[in-house]
Amino acid sequence: MSTLKADTIQSTGGGAATLTGQYAAKAWGNFNGAGTVAIRESANASSITDNGTGNYTVNFTTAMSDADYSVVATGDFTLGTDGLPFLAVNSDGTSGSKTTSNFCITSFVPTFSLSDIQGIFISVFR
């Protein structure tokens, strides 16, 4: 058995290597969705825009090849709130569609009220 360990893999041209046949996340993020909205940690997510209570736009650093990607999103449960949050992707109240450069998330509580939540966690696959 062999083990390969590397901190960075680059293409022969010196840029980021393109791995084919791999199904790793194309982007992921851990965001603060309450108070001052901000990225805690991420990969390929350049910024998050606060569009109002419980409504956010996630912007990619490097655009997707098309809008046929999949977003998995979940949120923090905070004691003393209205219950477990749930999130809807592409629910921005206007176009409702993902683009190659961003997508929208809306967070609700069980009463279907829009609600800011402390933690939003996303993974994007393409």
Side-chain angles (χ1 to χ4, degrees):
M1 181 192 296
S2 298
T3 301
L4 173 65
K5 295 182 179 182
D7 292 323
T8 304
I9 298 175
Q10 292 185 334
S11 70
T12 55
T18 300
L19 303 176
T20 58
Q22 304 297 315
Y23 298 100
K26 297 289 185 182
W28 63 267
N30 175 335
F31 306 102
N32 173 23
T36 302
V37 174
I39 297 172
R40 291 186 184 112
E41 293 291 336
S42 71
N44 198 27
S46 60
S47 63
I48 183 168
T49 304
D50 186 352
N51 301 319
T53 302
N55 190 290
Y56 316 92
T57 300
V58 179
N59 301 291
F60 295 123
T61 304
T62 301
M64 297 292 145
S65 58
D66 56 41
D68 293 334
Y69 53 88
S70 176
V71 179
V72 179
T74 189
D76 259 350
F77 169 70
T78 305
L79 292 175
T81 65
D82 294 325
L84 293 172
F86 63 95
L87 293 104
V89 176
N90 297 335
S91 182
D92 67 355
T94 57
S95 66
S97 61
K98 298 180 296 192
T99 71
T100 58
S101 59
N102 63 47
F103 63 92
C104 292
I105 294 178
T106 303
S107 59
F108 299 87
V109 291
T111 60
F112 296 103
S113 300
L114 291 171
S115 179
D116 287 345
I117 56 177
Q118 292 295 319
I120 298 172
F121 315 106
I122 60 105
S123 296
V124 178
F125 296 91
R126 173 70 184 92

